[in-house]
Amino acid sequence: MNLNSQNQITLHSGPGCLLDKAADALSNHLGTTCESSNGNNAGCAYQQQGNTSYGHGFNMQAGGVFAHTLENDGITVWFFDRDAIPADIAAKKPDPSNWGTPAAFFPNTQC
């Protein structure tokens, strides 16, 4: 039985990709080597700080919303608790420019 209470957001990539610890994100860095290879598939990751984005805490609030963008500057991931979903998402007109600091950001390092 998995009793983790915090969500992990992970990127798996090809050779040479590293996550910059200076990336602006709300979550804690777990690893900076994104490369996946035979015997090493941890990837680069963030662990969210709260206990409402995964497992029991997530279920007790009837879930939430994960949203991400894939842009030229990188991959950005946000998480919103059920009672904090932005109105633009509920209106089916998402506008990430209003969502604040993301849970995770994987900058484009051209790898």
Side-chain angles (χ1 to χ4, degrees):
M1 182 174 188
N2 189 340
L3 298 177
N4 286 348
S5 62
Q6 294 172 310
N7 187 51
Q8 182 173 313
I9 302 167
T10 306
L11 178 71
H12 301 273
S13 72
C17 294
L18 297 173
L19 176 63
D20 182 356
K21 283 193 170 187
D24 189 21
L26 296 175
S27 304
N28 300 321
H29 286 95
L30 290 180
T32 58
T33 303
C34 303
E35 178 179 349
S36 290
S37 60
N38 201 7
N40 180 17
N41 198 29
C44 52
Y46 291 90
Q47 184 175 45
Q48 290 184 261
Q49 296 177 8
N51 66 355
T52 59
S53 63
Y54 184 85
H56 183 71
F58 185 73
N59 293 336
M60 292 306 294
Q61 67 171 11
V65 170
F66 285 93
H68 78 277
T69 60
L70 174 58
E71 303 287 342
N72 287 334
D73 66 339
I75 299 169
T76 309
V77 181
W78 291 267
F79 172 72
F80 304 103
D81 287 317
R82 172 65 60 190
D83 62 357
I85 298 170
D88 59 311
I89 291 177
K92 298 182 182 180
K93 296 179 181 183
D95 181 5
S97 67
N98 295 321
W99 297 347
T101 305
F105 178 62
F106 300 96
N108 181 354
T109 58
Q110 304 298 318
C111 56

